[in-house]
Amino acid sequence: MLAYIDYPEWRKLIESTEELDALLSRNMRQALSLIVMIGGDYDDSINSTFLKVWNGLTGNKGFIEDVHALSTQYRRGLIKADELTIGIINLLNKRRFSLVDLIMMSNYMKLVNDINLLDLGLMVLYENPESILAGAREPPDIIPNRILSRELELDLEARCMVVKRTFSVHVSRQYDSNIYVIDWSNPGVVPYSKFAVSRVGDVEVSDPVFSSFVRFRVRVVSKVMGKDFVLTLPKPLNINADMNYCSSNVFVSLPQSMNMADYLSLVGKLRGLGYNVRITPFTRVDELIEDCSGGSLS
């Protein structure tokens, strides 16, 4: 297993399920900051630590049991990917759920089967909480290919108070594309903004994965595609980029909170697994794709 905890004041790479379980047992809310890069070997029993943590966070037992059943059936070869996709869509249509449930579902599927909804050709998008706190709702018509929409409530912290706000969650079908973005910057659930461009002035106003989906109609996945791919920088770093980074059509979006040590460790571990990893000077995957689209990328 290879994962990253993007938790405030506590961020690090996780390399084993035992280490993950120990961390979640000490602080269950870290599960919401988990980004599983390579999974597939996690305990699929109903009594696993992750499912206990999930139940502790939301108490949504029926939803959790349904996700567990679908994931286990897929892992054991009892259902195929298209049947898993239909099962998840039906589940989201009939069951109540929260944003936390969606994040935990995505992480659980990735831990058990090394796939989440992205790899099934779906995309879960939710309104950016910062926009909601500012009193600006995002228009739903900016979401392409919607197949399901739901209004949920979320507790947000504002001026040292917890306030309840309504926000939208959408499930979309993805485009067919020969350009792939591996999303290792979100836990399988992506915030969206009405701004398709990445910045207004010097302020970032959109998630780069959502921007790539809307602007370039890329296929977003969580699972590594092939052996040759390109990494974004987590933040502007003084590091030598590869000259031929545009020769691949698979781009990896990394968390911008990752430090230099974890970034270099990740690069080394991926190369040790036999992947041909290219380094670029870009921190946003949409800007990287835009740069490469003027060259050999098609």
Side-chain angles (χ1 to χ4, degrees), residues 15 33 46 54 69 75 85 118 146 156 197 203 288 297-298:
E15 299 182 55
S33 300
I46 193 65
W54 183 357
R75 179 169 179 164
T85 305
L118 297 173
R146 280 182 294 158
L156 296 172
V197 295
V203 179
L288 170 58
L297 184 63
S298 59

Side-chain angles (χ1 to χ4, degrees), residues 236-271:
L237 298 171
N238 185 18
I239 190 169
N240 291 327
D242 293 315
M243 295 297 294
N244 61 340
Y245 57 80
C246 281
S247 61
S248 175
N249 66 336
V250 182
F251 304 89
V252 180
S253 179
L254 291 177
Q256 296 190 358
S257 65
M258 187 177 287
N259 60 37
M260 172 70 94
D262 282 340
Y263 173 73
L264 294 177
S265 177
L266 174 63
V267 171
K269 293 180 191 307
L270 291 171
R271 286 175 173 167

Side-chain angles (χ1 to χ4, degrees), residues 177-246:
S177 176
N178 65 342
I179 304 173
Y180 293 90
V181 169
I182 300 173
D183 187 10
W184 287 350
S185 58
N186 298 295
V189 182
V190 181
Y192 69 88
S193 166
K194 60 177 172 287
F195 296 100
V197 295
S198 60
R199 292 181 176 87
V200 173
D202 294 329
V203 179
E204 292 194 356
V205 293
S206 71
D207 185 280
V209 173
F210 175 69
S211 176
S212 300
F213 175 56
V214 172
R215 295 177 64 197
F216 304 110
R217 298 191 171 193
V218 302
R219 187 65 174 260
V220 185
V221 296
S222 74
K223 192 175 178 66
V224 173
M225 307 289 296
K227 289 289 185 179
D228 190 6
F229 52 88
V230 180
L231 295 178
T232 59
L233 283 176
K235 61 188 68 175
L237 298 171
N238 185 18
I239 190 169
N240 291 327
D242 293 315
M243 295 297 294
N244 61 340
Y245 57 80
C246 281

Side-chain angles (χ1 to χ4, degrees), residues 4-5 38 62 64 79 82 88-89 131 141 160 213-214 218 234 252 275:
Y4 178 71
I5 292 279
I38 299 174
I64 294 169
I79 60 174
D82 57 345
I88 292 294
I89 293 173
S131 298
D141 58 1
C160 300
F213 175 56
V214 172
V218 302
V252 180
Y275 296 111

Side-chain angles (χ1 to χ4, degrees), residues 12 56 72 110 112 116 138 149 163 165 189-190 195 199 227 242 246 248 270 276 289-291:
K12 66 174 293 187
T72 302
K110 183 69 177 174
V112 171
N116 59 29
E138 305 286 6
S149 296
V163 295
R165 292 289 184 268
V189 182
V190 181
F195 296 100
R199 292 181 176 87
K227 289 289 185 179
D242 293 315
C246 281
S248 175
L270 291 171
N276 182 19
I289 292 171
E290 184 172 37
D291 179 74

